[in-house]
Amino acid sequence: MCWDSTRQHPPRDFTMGSNTVNTIVTDNMKTNNDANQLEKSHKNVRFTAILLAGSRSTNDSVASIFGKTYKALVPLVGRPMIAYALDALKRSSFINDIIIVFDGKDELLNENNDLKAALSDDRISIIGPASSICASVKKAIDQPTSKWPFLVTTADHALLKPEIVDKFCDQVSKIDGLSVGFVEKQSIVAMHPSSKRTYLPFKNASLSGANLFGFTDKEAVNVLDFWVAFESKRKTPWRLFQAFGFINLIGLMLRRFDVKSAFRRASMVLNVNAHAVILEDAEAAIDVDTPKDYMQVTSILEMRQQESQTS
């Protein structure tokens, strides 16, 4: 799938219906040349990245250790945490513009000279957050200069690599709707057996979120409207059951649904074509949520530095 990046909303050439999990299907009547052209065209898609960097906080478990009010600016192996995700996005071959959502623009620009230099790139803009995470994403999408499609990630994704971004965007560019990045438990255990992650229990796999989200058409924004409506009711769990349906949630907890069928059900609830994108790199699922995560990510980044120095 390919569209002119100057268009505000991409066409929906390959949708299979408004409430189903999307699948790319090549018509048997198409020639090999047509298929090759399609493969070539989606590789020309360029995303606008939305980097969620957070708001001022006095109770973040990681930031408070360093006396910081912003987790994104916590020092991590000699650099502010946000610098790693920002670097991965800038180096990705699929990313054009980058919108940073952060309520401390002055602090961000004055943190250190290296970060200030990185932020001087004309492709980068900084906007303040809205009332919630979902509202902030919607605000970034609605910016007058924003161009479709969008990749959303977070500043605490310090292990993000351009290769991970490229693989995710490569898959997302072929399909319409909302894409959510995941890593299988077996991949994480094989590479980092001591890492403690939260997993969604599907019939055919246990998946951990990768903090990567793709929005490829206007319909995908429906999911933001859904969550904005329920964020104010997050302390009343029965509301969530009411929204998703008791059978759907119980079925997930009992591992009755495989990944495709679960996302098909979610699509019907959210009124969006939703699908999972499975990534092989375990580090796509490791972010800095807790002090223990911070220590693990520090160790991995130090190992990366050593490997780059000896190679």
Side-chain angles (χ1 to χ4, degrees):
M1 180 174 61
C2 179
W3 56 83
D4 182 349
S5 63
T6 61
R7 293 179 60 169
Q8 285 302 300
H9 301 299
R12 298 177 51 76
D13 294 330
F14 297 101
T15 183
M16 293 177 63
S18 62
N19 292 323
T20 59
V21 178
N22 261 323
T23 306
I24 293 295
V25 178
T26 302
D27 193 313
N28 290 333
M29 298 300 292
K30 283 183 175 292
T31 64
N32 289 335
N33 183 61
D34 290 335
N36 290 337
Q37 285 297 111
L38 175 63
E39 180 70 16
K40 183 178 179 181
S41 67
H42 81 77
K43 289 184 178 180
N44 293 328
V45 174
R46 293 295 179 267
F47 288 70
T48 295
I50 299 172
L51 182 57
L52 301 173
S55 302
R56 184 183 299 273
S57 173
T58 57
N59 58 4
D60 182 88
S61 62
V62 176
S64 60
I65 295 174
F66 297 90
K68 295 281 190 179
T69 54
Y70 298 104
K71 183 169 70 169
L73 299 182
V74 164
L76 183 61
V77 193
R79 306 172 73 191
M81 187 184 297
I82 190 176
Y84 293 95
L86 179 62
D87 183 59
L89 295 173
K90 290 181 67 174
R91 290 167 56 200
S92 167
S93 60
F94 277 85
I95 301 299
N96 266 352
D97 298 328
I98 301 171
I99 301 173
I100 300 175
V101 182
F102 191 58
D103 75 350
K105 182 175 181 179
D106 291 339
E107 290 89 338
L108 187 65
L109 292 174
N110 296 317
E111 180 64 20
N112 66 35
N113 290 333
D114 288 341
L115 182 57
K116 186 174 183 177
L119 293 168
S120 65
D121 191 318
D122 290 339
R123 298 181 301 158
I124 298 173
S125 59
I126 304 170
I127 66 172
S131 58
S132 67
I133 292 174
C134 288
S136 293
V137 173
K138 196 168 188 301
K139 178 181 177 180
I141 290 175
D142 289 340
Q143 292 296 296
T145 57
S146 291
K147 298 182 180 70
W148 289 83
F150 294 91
L151 166 73
V152 179
T153 191
T154 57
D156 61 0
H157 204 332
L159 297 182
L160 191 64
K161 295 178 282 192
E163 295 84 2
I164 293 174
V165 177
D166 287 349
K167 287 180 180 178
F168 181 76
C169 290
D170 180 57
Q171 294 189 57
V172 172
S173 65
K174 304 170 188 177
I175 40 186
D176 287 338
L178 171 70
S179 300
V180 184
F182 291 100
V183 179
E184 290 193 53
K185 182 177 182 178
Q186 61 186 28
S187 298
I188 297 173
V189 172
M191 189 172 184
H192 295 291
S194 63
S195 183
K196 303 298 182 184
R197 315 314 305 169
T198 300
Y199 296 96
L200 289 175
F202 298 99
K203 184 177 182 179
N204 58 336
S206 292
L207 303 180
S208 183
N211 272 7
L212 291 168
F213 305 88
F215 293 76
T216 54
D217 61 23
K218 187 176 181 181
E219 187 180 78
V221 180
N222 289 339
V223 73
L224 299 177
D225 296 330
F226 176 91
W227 282 115
V228 166
F230 276 88
E231 279 174 332
S232 61
K233 303 181 181 70
R234 62 186 179 274
K235 293 185 179 181
T236 53
W238 69 269
R239 293 279 191 178
L240 188 61
F241 276 80
Q242 184 184 49
F244 273 97
F246 182 79
I247 293 177
N248 287 340
L249 290 180
I250 293 299
L252 179 62
M253 289 187 286
L254 295 178
R255 303 177 77 103
R256 295 289 179 86
F257 308 134
D258 61 21
V259 176
K260 275 193 173 183
S261 62
F263 270 77
R264 186 178 300 114
R265 288 170 175 268
S267 295
M268 289 188 287
V269 172
L270 299 172
N271 191 31
V272 62
N273 295 319
H275 50 92
V277 173
I278 311 301
L279 300 165
E280 295 180 357
D281 193 325
E283 291 173 2
I286 302 175
D287 55 10
V288 185
D289 281 335
T290 67
K292 187 174 182 179
D293 292 335
Y294 179 89
M295 297 303 295
Q296 181 185 20
V297 169
T298 296
S299 177
I300 294 171
L301 288 174
E302 289 175 342
M303 189 176 301
R304 285 186 187 176
Q305 282 189 354
Q306 293 173 4
E307 291 173 351
S308 65
Q309 290 169 0
T310 57
S311 60

